Amino acid sequence: MKIDLIEKLDEIYKECSVENWDGYSANPVSFDAIQEAKRFIQLLSNELPQPNEILPEPDGAVGLVWYKSANFIFVISFSGKKIIDYVGIFHGKKIKGTVSFEDDLIPQIIKDIICSNFV
């Protein structure tokens, strides 16, 4: 499964690394954002669920998405700047934040959110 996600990131980079890739003036997805997302996926342990979807974002970032329903969605975004932006909706409660992603470790808050909502 991790190999499929890495291949999907390579596909996104090929298709979305140019200006206006979406026809609505999107910024190119950056190589650094793709590399950060790949590193995160490689760090996911077998105990943590894989994201359901990978999405290019119009600001040049790339997002990983976990979801169960409209009331259980979690998205983390990589911009290539060694941070993870995250946003989630759980039973109508919204959360959002930013956390450093400089070490070769998944930030504890990200692990906690994924484990408590998607395992």
Side-chain angles (χ1 to χ4, degrees), residues 4-119:
D4 293 340
L5 296 173
I6 300 295
E7 289 174 356
K8 175 69 174 173
L9 284 164
D10 289 337
E11 229 176 85
I12 286 171
Y13 186 68
K14 286 177 189 170
E15 295 173 9
C16 304
S17 63
V18 295
E19 195 75 35
N20 194 35
W21 56 264
D22 66 348
Y24 295 98
S25 302
N27 291 329
V29 171
S30 79
F31 178 77
D32 290 341
I34 294 291
Q35 292 306 106
E36 284 181 352
K38 284 181 179 182
R39 186 166 44 128
F40 183 91
I41 288 168
Q42 291 167 340
L43 292 171
L44 283 174
S45 67
N46 292 330
E47 295 95 44
L48 293 175
Q50 305 293 307
N52 301 92
E53 197 168 352
I54 301 175
L55 300 172
E57 298 178 1
D59 64 355
V62 62
L64 305 181
V65 182
W66 287 260
Y67 60 85
K68 287 184 185 177
S69 68
N71 287 320
F72 268 87
I73 302 170
F74 185 56
V75 180
I76 62 175
S77 294
F78 301 91
S79 60
K81 298 176 182 170
K82 298 182 180 181
I83 59 169
I84 298 173
D85 292 311
Y86 63 91
V87 63
I89 300 173
F90 306 102
H91 292 299
K93 181 183 173 195
K94 296 177 185 177
I95 62 164
K96 70 177 185 174
T98 300
V99 64
S100 175
F101 187 53
E102 294 188 44
D103 301 323
D104 279 336
L105 298 170
I106 294 175
Q108 190 62 47
I109 190 165
I110 302 296
K111 280 190 207 178
D112 291 346
I113 292 168
I114 293 170
C115 285
S116 63
N117 293 288
F118 299 98
V119 174

